[in-house]
Amino acid sequence: TGVPRCGASLHELNKALRIELNANANCMWQIQRNANQTIRLIFSYFKFAPSSSCETESIKIYDGPSTNSPLLGQVCNNIDAVPVLQSSSASLTFLIRTNSVAFTRNFFVFYYFFSPETKIENCGGQLTGPNGTFISPNYPVRYPEFTYCIWHIQTAKNSKINLQFQDFFLELDQNCQFDFTAVYDGLTTNTGLMGKVCGRAQPTFESSSNAMTVVLSTDYANSYRGFSAQYTSVPLPGPVVPNTLLTCSSDSMKIVLSKSYLASLGYNETHLQLNDPSCSPVVTDSVTFSFPLASCGTTKKDEGQSITYTNIVSLSKTTGIITRQKSIQIIAKCKMENNSTLEVIYITKNNIIQNTTAVGRYNVSMSFYDSDSFSKPVLQSPYYVDLNQTLFAQVSLHSTDPNLLVFVDTCIASPQPDFGSLTYDLIRSGCNKDDTVVTYPPLEHYGRFKFNAFRFLRSFPLVYLQCDILICDSNNANSRCTEGCLSRQKRAISSYMWKTNTVVGPIRLKRDLRSADHSESLTKADAEETPNLQQYSLYTLSFVVLISNIIIVVAVILKYHIKRQAGYGYQKIQSS
C-alpha cells in the first residue's frame, strides 16, 4: 500500500497493492528488478463495474517491461478463477482500464520475485488413485511464505470427486486476499472455480467429472498450520460417457473409439475419416487412429507460448444421395505447453461439446559425445575426463514433426544432482557465460555446445549439468530459437513455444580414477611382498653384525700397530 492511485514503478522483492479506481482510468504498473528471478503476480480480489465486458474494462498483464511486451493474460469481470500469472524474466507490466460507468472499482494484488528451481516438499502433484489424502507443506507446522502449490486430482472415467478438508487453518480475511485455497472443477486453473476459502473451516467440494484441481497460495506474513484433505471418487449415474481416448506423445497422436459408442450414434468404422481420408484406422475390438504429429492432415498452430496440433475425425454416411442423420466431428488436440502436453478431445453433436483431458510431455534427452561429429555418444557414467578436456554435449528432441527447432537457453553446473545453492553458469539466456563455451547454430531437433572441464572439479569430484531447453516452430522466423544471445531487456519481449529442462552427468576427473587405481595396486603389492621382506630383513641383520665385527678387529690391529711405531723402536741384534 502507499503507492500512487494510478500506476507506479515497483522494484521491491515483494509488495501488496490495494488499488481503488473510478471511471475512465488508464493506469499502468511496472515491476522490474535486476535479478535472475521471475515474478508471480496474484489478483486475489477484484471488483469491476457491474455488467462490464472485457472489451470495455479489464486488466492486461504483459510479460516484460512495457505494454509492447507479449501479452501474458487478461482479467475481466466474468472470469471464473483467481488469476495467477508468472513472468519469464525479472520484469512484468499490468494495465488497468475502466469504462465510463460511475462506480468505485477495488483490486487487491500482490507480487513476489522467486526462483522456479526452488522446490518445496509436499507442494502439489498428480493424484490418480480412486481415493487419497494430501497435506499442505510443513503440516501441521506453519506453512512457508510465498508458497504456490497445485494438486491435480484425476480418477477413473464415469466418476466424480468428493473433497473434504479434515483440518483447515489459513490466515483469516473477509475476501481471502492474503492466504487462500482455491478449488476448481477440472484440470485447469483458468476457469471452473468452485470456491476460494481461508480462515478456520472444514469445507467440502464435489466435482462434476473425474477431475479436480486444488491450489494453495500464501503471502509473506501470518502463516498457520495449513490443511489436511481427503478425496474419494464416486461413480457417476446415468448414461455412459462416450468411450473415447486420446494419447499425445512427442512423436504421434493416437485416437481410440469404441465400436459400441459408434453404434450408439448410428455409425460404424466405415463412416470415419481424418482430415486426410487416406489415413485409415486399425479395427479390432475398437477403432484406432495412430499417426505421426505432422501427418494425416494434422494442423499446427503457434499460440505464442504453446504449439497445438489438431486433427478431426468426421463421422458421416459415405454412400447414398441424401441423409437425415446429423454429422458428428471428434476434434482431437495435442497442446504442448508449460513443460507438459495437454491432450484434449472434443465430441461435437448439435453444438454440444464434451471433452476429456490427460497429461503427457515432449521427449527430450541430453548426452555427451566423444567428438564434434556428434556421432558416438558417451555411455559410461560417471564420464571420466581430463581437466580442461573439451566436452561435447547435445540435446535431442525425439519428435516426428520436422518443423521444430531446439534451442539451449540456459545451462548450469552443480556438484549435486539436486542443483542446490552451489551452481555455475555455462549459458544464460542464450549467452555464453564461460570463456570455453562454444554453441553451435540450431539444427532441427538438436541443440549442441562444447566446453572445457571445470577447474572446480579439483574440489568436488562429481559435476552435473542442467539445461533449460526451448522448442520453437521453425516456420516462425522471429521465434526465440533464432535470436541467439539476448540481454534481459530484449529477453522480456521474446517468446518461445515450449520449455523444459534436462539433466546429464556426472562428470569426474580421470585423476580421481588413477588415484583410486594406484592406491589399490599399492595395497595389493604390499600384501604380496610381506613374507619376502621378513626373510630379507633377517639376512640383512646377520650381514651387518659380521661387518661390524670385522671393523672392530681391523681397528684394534691398526691401533696396536700405530702405538708400536710411536713409542717403541727396535734394533737389530748384532751377530756374535
Side-chain angles (χ1 to χ4, degrees):
T1 58
V3 299
R5 287 183 63 251
C6 185
S9 181
L10 307 170
H11 306 286
E12 294 91 340
L13 271 172
N14 60 82
K15 198 170 187 67
L17 309 173
R18 293 185 187 274
I19 301 172
E20 183 178 299
L21 296 175
N22 295 314
N24 300 315
N26 186 8
C27 307
M28 182 173 67
W29 283 261
Q30 294 172 304
I31 307 169
Q32 192 166 8
R33 189 178 177 87
N34 187 16
N36 289 324
Q37 293 182 304
T38 57
I39 304 166
R40 181 170 287 133
L41 182 70
I42 302 176
F43 292 89
S44 56
Y45 179 77
F46 50 92
K47 189 173 184 180
F48 292 95
S51 304
S52 64
S53 66
C54 290
E55 289 74 22
T56 62
E57 190 162 291
S58 68
I59 307 172
K60 290 186 177 181
I61 303 93
Y62 299 89
D63 190 14
S66 72
T67 54
N68 294 323
S69 304
L71 182 66
L72 263 183
Q74 182 173 246
V75 181
C76 308
N77 189 36
N78 59 355
I79 190 170
D80 189 18
V82 180
V84 179
L85 300 105
Q86 181 176 321
S87 69
S88 63
S89 66
S91 60
L92 187 146
T93 303
F94 66 93
L95 176 70
I96 304 181
R97 288 179 175 170
T98 63
N99 59 25
S100 58
V101 176
F103 183 81
T104 301
R105 288 86 167 163
N106 288 286
F107 309 92
F108 186 83
V109 55
F110 68 92
Y111 75 86
Y112 53 88
F113 285 82
F114 73 103
S115 298
E117 298 81 13
T118 303
K119 305 298 181 185
I120 300 176
E121 189 175 357
N122 293 326
C123 183
Q126 304 282 339
L127 304 172
T128 56
N131 52 71
T133 61
F134 58 99
I135 58 175
S136 57
N138 295 343
Y139 178 86
V141 184
R142 295 174 183 270
Y143 47 78
E145 63 181 10
F146 301 125
T147 297
Y148 187 72
C149 310
I150 302 178
W151 290 267
H152 293 291
I153 307 171
Q154 190 168 21
T155 57
K157 287 186 177 181
N158 308 326
S159 67
K160 60 182 179 179
I161 300 169
N162 284 335
L163 176 67
Q164 168 108 36
F165 287 91
Q166 298 164 314
D167 185 23
F168 191 94
F169 191 4
L170 271 63
E171 182 178 2
L172 178 62
D173 173 70
Q174 181 179 358
N175 297 313
C176 295
Q177 299 172 121
F178 309 119
D179 301 341
F180 62 85
T181 293
V183 182
Y184 295 86
D185 190 9
L187 287 178
T188 178
T189 58
N190 297 325
T191 187
L193 180 66
M194 291 192 287
K196 183 176 70 167
V197 290
C198 60
R200 295 292 303 270
Q202 285 188 315
T204 60
F205 296 91
E206 183 176 274
S207 67
S208 62
S209 67
N210 66 327
M212 179 184 285
T213 300
V214 180
V215 172
L216 170 65
S217 176
T218 71
D219 65 1
Y220 59 89
N222 301 328
S223 65
Y224 298 91
R225 68 172 175 265
F227 63 75
S228 170
Q230 178 179 9
Y231 76 91
T232 56
S233 61
V234 180
L236 277 174
V240 176
V241 175
N243 191 359
T244 59
L245 174 66
L246 171 64
T247 304
C248 299
S249 72
S250 184
D251 297 307
S252 62
M253 182 184 298
K254 183 178 181 181
I255 306 169
V256 181
L257 306 172
S258 70
K259 287 184 177 180
S260 59
Y261 171 56
L262 296 176
S264 70
L265 300 175
Y267 294 98
N268 58 45
E269 62 270 17
T270 63
H271 301 141
L272 306 181
Q273 68 177 34
L274 293 174
N275 285 345
D276 182 353
S278 64
C279 293
S280 303
V282 175
V283 181
T284 55
D285 294 337
S286 57
V287 181
T288 303
F289 290 95
S290 183
F291 50 92
L293 283 179
S295 67
C296 294
T298 304
T299 60
K300 181 171 66 174
K301 184 179 180 183
D302 177 353
E303 297 179 334
Q305 291 196 356
S306 64
I307 296 177
T308 301
Y309 299 89
T310 305
N311 209 316
I312 300 174
V313 181
S314 299
L315 288 74
S316 60
K317 297 291 187 180
T318 55
T319 59
I321 300 174
I322 65 168
T323 180
R324 292 185 173 88
Q325 200 168 9
K326 291 183 172 64
S327 296
I328 297 174
Q329 286 188 328
I330 299 174
I331 304 171
K333 291 188 175 184
C334 295
K335 189 172 185 180
M336 308 297 191
E337 184 179 37
N338 295 335
N339 200 21
S340 66
T341 305
L342 180 63
E343 303 162 351
V344 184
I345 186 165
Y346 302 91
I347 298 93
T348 64
K349 180 181 180 182
N350 296 335
N351 297 322
I352 297 175
I353 297 178
Q354 298 171 322
N355 69 82
T356 58
T357 60
V359 175
R361 60 173 298 150
Y362 268 128
N363 185 6
V364 178
S365 63
M366 182 163 65
S367 301
F368 289 111
Y369 284 77
D370 63 352
S371 70
D372 59 2
S373 67
F374 295 96
S375 58
K376 186 178 179 182
V378 176
L379 302 178
Q380 71 261 32
S381 179
Y383 177 22
Y384 284 93
V385 301
D386 289 316
L387 191 62
N388 290 325
Q389 175 182 334
T390 301
L391 309 182
F392 302 92
Q394 174 175 283
V395 177
S396 303
L397 167 65
H398 308 282
S399 175
T400 56
D401 185 350
N403 297 316
L404 293 177
L405 277 180
V406 173
F407 179 70
V408 181
D409 179 74
T410 296
C411 267
I412 61 174
S414 175
Q416 297 127 358
D418 59 354
F419 293 83
S421 59
L422 183 59
T423 60
Y424 175 71
D425 282 1
L426 284 173
I427 303 171
R428 176 70 61 179
S429 302
C431 304
N432 298 340
K433 296 298 183 181
D434 181 273
D435 293 339
T436 68
V437 172
V438 176
T439 54
Y440 295 83
L443 177 65
E444 296 180 346
H445 291 179
Y446 304 104
R448 295 168 172 173
F449 62 98
K450 65 180 181 179
F451 58 96
N452 290 358
F454 320 106
R455 292 190 179 277
F456 67 76
L457 280 172
R458 293 184 180 275
S459 302
F460 299 94
L462 300 179
V463 166
Y464 298 81
L465 294 188
Q466 176 177 276
C467 294
D468 288 341
I469 311 303
L470 307 184
I471 299 171
C472 309
D473 185 353
S474 60
N475 294 321
N476 182 358
N478 298 319
S479 72
R480 174 69 186 92
C481 295
T482 63
E483 292 175 319
C485 173
L486 291 183
S487 65
R488 186 178 311 282
Q489 289 76 16
K490 291 182 179 178
R491 178 178 169 83
I493 63 174
S494 302
S495 65
Y496 54 85
M497 308 306 109
W498 191 84
K499 182 177 182 179
T500 186
N501 64 57
T502 184
V503 176
V504 69
I507 311 166
R508 188 166 187 167
L509 278 180
K510 284 183 180 177
R511 67 177 180 84
D512 297 325
L513 177 62
R514 290 196 297 267
S515 298
D517 292 344
H518 181 61
S519 175
E520 182 179 351
S521 64
L522 283 179
T523 303
K524 183 176 181 182
D526 291 345
E528 291 175 351
E529 293 180 6
T530 298
N532 295 333
L533 286 174
Q534 292 175 349
Q535 185 177 2
Y536 177 76
S537 298
L538 181 60
Y539 292 155
T540 302
L541 180 60
S542 300
F543 180 74
V544 168
V545 172
L546 178 60
I547 294 300
S548 299
N549 290 334
I550 292 172
I551 291 172
I552 292 171
V553 171
V554 171
V556 170
I557 292 172
L558 287 174
K559 182 177 180 183
Y560 175 77
H561 179 69
I562 293 170
K563 183 183 290 187
R564 281 182 58 89
Q565 286 182 338
Y568 301 95
Y570 71 90
Q571 185 177 8
K572 189 175 180 180
I573 298 175
Q574 299 287 331
S575 61
S576 57

